[in-house]
Amino acid sequence: MKRLIAIGFIWSMCAVAWVILGGTIEVRTGESSGGLRSEVHRLWGPPLALAPPLGTSTRPVEYEDKETTYLKNGTPVVSLVKRIREEPIPVPLVGTDATVALSLEQRKKGLLWFPTYAVAFQARYAFQHTGAHAREARLEFPIPSDNVGLEGFELLDGAGQPVPYEISQDAARWTAHFQPGQTQSFQVAFRSRGTSTWHYALTQTGQVKDFKLKLTTDFQEVDFPAGSISPTRHARVGSGWSGEWDFKSLISSATIGLDLPQRLNPGEVASRITFFAPVGLLFFFFVVSILALAQGKNLHPLNYFFLSCAFFAFHLLFAYLVDHLSLAPSFALASVVSIALVVTYARWFVGWKFSLREMGAAQALYLVLFSFTFFWDGFTGLAITVGAILTLFAMMQVTGRLDWNKLAQPQSPPPAAPSSPIGHGTPISRELSGVVEAFAMPPGAPPEARG
């Protein structure tokens, strides 16, 4: 029981050390991530969020206003005067037909990877004037702020002719003359760039009519952010993906969104592996102690302490190697160093055979392989569960025939050989007496006297 308590204390202290190391890695990653992300946004563009154009017109509204005049004697006279003011009215967007193409390019900045993309956008918008009189309408297409550039911006009318526009207050604005009940369409096209996510707002007024948007990508790992609208249809096309959003009428404030696939960043992987380390060490202690007991190997708590230090060496070395090497060589080098520490140390008290076969294999499984599961996004929990079940099965088979009651009994020391005093005439005693006498003679004695 004292030995188990000592081993549990060693495991607990190692768990605390791993928590501290994992927190340190997260802080280092967060500090570098914030600065590098802003640099990438300035170079390549922030997450791009687009919105549809908005149309407004005006109509004359007659209203009564109080007007005060003064007589010659200074007496005020209040009268009602009819005036006319221009009241803004919306020009509804009644149709949208857009196509969007996203091209992914993973870019490395410092020690982190960022999913950047190029986007080609083209859409045809239809506006309808519902008033009873001809009106001038003011239309505007919002341009995202925060270092977003629209390359090759093009605005065409329904006949495919360029429409003059002006850029002011983060929008491209133009005017169009509408007859009563008339519908006009305009085409907007441009190319841009962004990072991490892409969004498109279906409407700025809350109601969508005759909406169609087709989105194609050159990657298949597609994910939709929370709160966005899933596509009506989608499918994998070659090495890419295609999705369509098709709505005849919809009232919603949600957006269409896409999260681009993120490559594993060294700091995030290292912190997750480090926080998981106590579980791997617990499995290792369990397996090694059972196998050692089954084969009559006696491990001292200090042996477990140095074995846990070798485990910790893997995570410490891996956490700082990724600052200078890529993930794969950092992981491989840290694994080799940690296993070498365990095997070369354990050979002194359990022998090469047990050290290589049982302890080396257990460390390769519960340190290296379990840590490697964090490279399989979404399968880590399943892999650990399967490993735990297989470990339980193996230990049950190994220990099934052991007599635990016999192993638990204290081992009595072997009986001592009967001692006989020197000089009783036995051959052994005579030889021992001669050896003692020879070494007791002075250094100058002749060789014959030494026998």
Side-chain angles (χ1 to χ4, degrees):
M1 181 58 68
K2 292 181 179 179
R3 179 167 298 192
L4 290 177
I5 293 175
I7 295 174
F9 177 76
I10 292 171
W11 180 87
S12 301
M13 292 299 98
C14 289
V16 172
W18 271 311
V19 169
I20 296 173
L21 178 60
T24 303
I25 297 172
E26 284 192 338
V27 170
R28 291 171 53 223
T29 302
E31 290 177 351
S32 61
S33 176
L36 293 175
R37 182 175 289 107
S38 61
E39 291 184 18
V40 172
H41 289 176
R42 288 195 297 268
L43 291 172
W44 194 256
L48 189 58
L50 302 175
L54 189 65
T56 57
S57 181
T58 58
R59 62 181 177 184
V61 177
E62 186 179 82
Y63 69 99
E64 291 184 345
D65 190 16
K66 293 182 178 180
E67 186 177 86
T68 303
T69 59
Y70 295 90
L71 301 177
K72 291 182 178 181
N73 59 4
T75 303
V77 178
V78 178
S79 58
L80 295 178
V81 179
K82 291 186 177 181
R83 302 182 186 275
I84 295 177
R85 68 167 179 263
E86 295 293 326
E87 181 181 74
I89 58 172
V91 178
L93 177 63
V94 296
T96 301
D97 189 0
T99 58
V100 184
L102 295 179
S103 179
L104 173 66
E105 183 175 356
Q106 297 284 357
R107 291 179 175 265
K108 189 176 183 181
K109 186 69 175 176
L111 300 175
L112 301 177
W113 287 96
F114 296 90
T116 65
Y117 60 88
V119 55
F121 181 87
Q122 181 175 337
R124 182 177 293 274
Y125 299 103
F127 290 90
Q128 185 178 35
H129 174 49
T130 57
H133 304 279
R135 290 284 184 270
E136 286 284 333
R138 185 174 180 84
L139 309 176
E140 61 179 44
F141 183 86
I143 297 176
S145 56
D146 193 16
N147 197 39
V148 174
L150 303 184
E151 180 184 357
F153 185 85
E154 188 177 51
L155 178 62
L156 306 176
D157 61 14
Q161 299 299 316
V163 176
Y165 62 89
E166 62 179 12
I167 303 294
S168 62
Q169 297 181 356
D170 299 328
R173 292 181 169 84
W174 70 99
T175 59
H177 185 79
F178 283 85
Q179 297 295 328
Q182 182 185 10
T183 300
Q184 295 189 43
S185 61
F186 300 90
Q187 180 175 305
V188 176
F190 58 86
R191 297 180 300 277
S192 188
R193 303 184 300 183
T195 305
S196 301
T197 61
W198 179 85
H199 283 271
Y200 183 83
L202 280 76
T203 176
Q204 296 192 60
T205 61
Q207 186 174 12
V208 181
K209 293 183 179 179
D210 195 15
F211 179 90
K212 294 180 181 179
L213 186 144
K214 182 177 181 181
L215 174 63
T216 58
T217 69
D218 61 355
F219 53 89
Q220 294 184 348
E221 298 79 10
V222 172
D223 195 13
F224 306 103
S228 62
I229 297 178
S230 59
T232 309
R233 295 173 295 274
H234 66 93
R236 293 186 175 183
V237 181
S239 59
W241 178 87
S242 176
E244 296 182 18
W245 287 259
D246 192 349
F247 308 108
K248 290 297 181 183
S249 180
L250 178 68
I251 298 177
S252 175
S253 59
T255 64
I256 295 173
L258 199 68
D259 286 333
L260 278 78
Q262 177 77 51
R263 287 188 63 172
L264 288 174
N265 281 316
E268 297 175 0
V269 176
S271 64
R272 286 189 293 167
I273 291 177
T274 301
F275 284 125
F276 166 75
V279 179
L281 182 63
L282 185 63
F283 275 106
F284 178 79
F285 278 2
F286 171 70
V287 171
V288 168
S289 60
I290 293 295
L291 294 178
L293 183 63
Q295 299 187 30
K297 309 289 185 181
N298 189 15
L299 274 66
H300 192 272
L302 278 178
N303 297 139
Y304 287 99
F305 170 74
F306 285 109
L307 293 175
S308 60
C309 289
F311 259 66
F312 187 80
F314 166 83
H315 300 89
L316 186 63
L317 183 59
F318 178 66
Y320 287 95
L321 275 178
V322 292
D323 290 347
H324 308 282
L325 301 176
S326 58
L327 273 175
S330 299
F331 187 87
L333 184 57
S335 301
V336 171
V337 170
S338 181
I339 292 177
L341 287 174
V342 167
V343 172
T344 57
Y345 167 67
R347 70 183 175 92
W348 294 107
F349 52 90
V350 293
W352 275 111
K353 185 177 179 180
F354 188 89
S355 176
L356 284 171
R357 187 177 62 183
E358 276 79 2
M359 302 186 75
Q363 188 183 14
L365 178 61
Y366 300 112
L367 175 65
V368 179
L369 186 58
F370 272 28
S371 298
F372 188 74
T373 59
F374 285 89
F375 292 88
W376 305 335
D377 192 19
F379 292 92
T380 302
L382 178 61
I384 295 174
T385 302
V386 172
I389 294 174
L390 293 178
T391 299
L392 178 62
F393 172 78
M395 293 300 99
M396 293 172 68
Q397 301 304 311
V398 168
T399 61
R401 295 185 179 182
L402 292 179
D403 187 349
W404 293 101
N405 293 323
K406 183 177 180 180
L407 291 174
Q409 293 176 357
Q411 298 288 336
S412 58
S419 60
S420 58
I422 299 176
H424 281 199
T426 61
I428 297 178
S429 63
R430 287 197 297 269
E431 292 179 4
L432 290 176
S433 299
V435 171
V436 172
E437 292 175 357
F439 278 96
M441 288 185 178
E448 298 82 10
R450 293 179 178 271

